[in-house]
Amino acid sequence: MTIRMYDLAGADPKCRFSPYCWRVRMALAHKQLLVETIPWRYSEKATIARSGQDRVPVIEDGGRVIADSWAIANYLEDTYPERPSLFGGAGGRAAARFVNAWADTVQNAAISTFVASDMLNHLGPDDRDYFRRSREQRFGMTLEQFCANREQRVGGFRCSLEPLRQTLLNQPFFGGKSPLYADYIVFGGFQWARAISSFTLLEADDPIVPWRQRMLDLFDGMARKAPACV
Ligand SMILES: N[C@@H](CCC(=O)N[C@@H](CS)C(=O)NCC(=O)O)C(=O)O
C-alpha cells in the first residue's frame, strides 16, 4: 500500500524544502516504500490535525498516522524490518539519535540564520505573513536582522562542521560504505538550503561537498531532481 506523506511546500507545489520532510523522503526511498507526497502549507494545519500536533512531516500508513521525523524513521524501521535497515542495528539507532539532536540544535539552527529570510521568496501570501510573524516572534528580531552579515558569519558555521569533515575524509557516508538514516538527517539541512537559497554554505573544495553530491545521486537522483536555487 502507498504511504501518504504531508510534505511542506512553497507557493510552487514542486518546491519542497523542509529539512525534516527530506529526512523522511530519503528514509522512505531507502526502505523502498511507495509514497505519495501531499504538498502542505503552514496555513493548512487542519489537514494534519488528526496527527495530534501541527507540524510536518506526517505520514499515513494504512490507518496509522505518525508525526515527527525521528518517530517516523523508527516506525519505518520497526514496521518494515525485512527491508534495508535505516540504522544498521541497535547501536546505529542509538548513535543516530545523537546525530538527530546535533542536526536539530546545531546544524539546522545555524542554517536558519543564513536562509530564513530567503524563505519569503518561495511562500504564498498567507504562508509568507505567517512565517514572518511566527519567526520574528521566536527570534525577537526581523528576519532581515536575523540573517544579516551572513557572509561574515559563514566561516564560523563551516568550522563547526569539522566533525563531519573528519568523518567523511575516512568513509563515504556517515553510515560507512553506504548511507544510513544518519546521512539523511544531516542531508536534510543542506537540502533545505539548496531548495530556497542561493547562499553558499560550503566552500567548493570542502570534503563535505562530494558527500553532498553522492547524496543527491541516491535513488536515481531523487533529491537532485527537486527544484533548487543552486
Ligand atoms: N521535530 C520535528 C520538527 C518538525 C518541524 O518543525 N516541521 C516544520 C517544517 S520544517 C513545521 O511543520 N512547521 C510548522 C510551523 O512552523 O507552523 C521533526 O523532526 O519532524
Side-chain angles (χ1 to χ4, degrees):
M1 189 184 292
T2 301
I3 292 175
R4 287 160 60 87
M5 172 183 166
Y6 293 89
D7 188 5
L8 186 60
D12 172 358
K14 291 200 187 72
C15 177
R16 308 291 175 96
F17 48 81
S18 159
Y20 309 103
C21 292
W22 271 106
R23 292 177 189 177
V24 172
R25 289 275 301 278
M26 301 295 278
L28 287 162
H30 182 106
K31 284 277 185 196
Q32 301 167 4
L33 290 162
L34 290 178
V35 61
E36 176 199 353
T37 65
I38 301 156
W40 180 88
R41 274 65 177 219
Y42 292 111
S43 47
E44 295 170 356
K45 293 193 182 289
T47 61
I48 58 165
R50 62 191 168 284
S51 70
Q53 51 87 65
D54 65 354
R55 292 174 179 222
V56 290
V58 170
I59 65 162
E60 293 173 356
D61 187 15
R64 289 162 293 196
V65 180
I66 305 108
D68 186 85
S69 58
W70 178 253
I72 293 169
N74 281 276
Y75 166 83
L76 296 176
E77 185 74 347
D78 296 337
T79 309
Y80 300 100
E82 73 287 0
R83 290 169 179 263
S85 174
L86 286 168
F87 299 118
R93 192 187 304 229
R97 186 184 284 279
F98 165 79
V99 177
N100 205 71
W102 174 83
D104 288 358
T105 58
V106 179
Q107 180 199 15
N108 289 346
I111 290 176
S112 72
T113 73
F114 303 117
V115 306
S117 56
D118 293 326
M119 289 273 289
L120 300 171
N121 303 326
H122 300 274
L123 302 175
D126 287 353
D127 273 17
R128 200 180 302 136
D129 289 349
Y130 166 80
F131 186 79
R132 182 180 278 286
R133 195 175 59 252
S134 59
R135 271 45 179 186
E136 293 189 346
Q137 197 171 18
R138 184 187 298 173
F139 303 145
M141 63 185 87
T142 66
L143 285 174
E144 289 73 17
Q145 288 166 334
F146 186 65
C147 292
N149 304 318
R150 57 186 182 175
E151 288 80 10
Q152 286 91 322
R153 292 186 291 106
V154 72
F157 170 69
R158 290 172 183 160
C159 282
S160 78
L161 300 180
E162 193 57 23
L164 302 188
R165 214 166 276 126
Q166 292 298 323
T167 307
L168 294 169
L169 283 169
N170 286 290
Q171 59 196 58
F173 295 100
F174 297 114
K177 289 197 175 79
S178 53
L180 289 177
Y181 189 64
D183 289 273
Y184 308 141
I185 294 169
V186 179
F187 178 69
F190 289 114
Q191 190 67 353
W192 167 31
R194 184 175 188 271
I196 55 138
S197 177
S198 53
F199 184 66
T200 305
L201 287 176
L202 301 173
E203 287 179 303
D205 63 350
D206 191 319
I208 300 170
V209 170
W211 165 80
R212 203 176 169 185
Q213 295 297 325
R214 286 193 287 281
M215 297 299 293
L216 289 166
D217 288 338
L218 292 175
F219 315 124
D220 197 24
M222 182 179 81
R224 190 185 292 286
K225 286 176 197 159
C229 291
V230 285

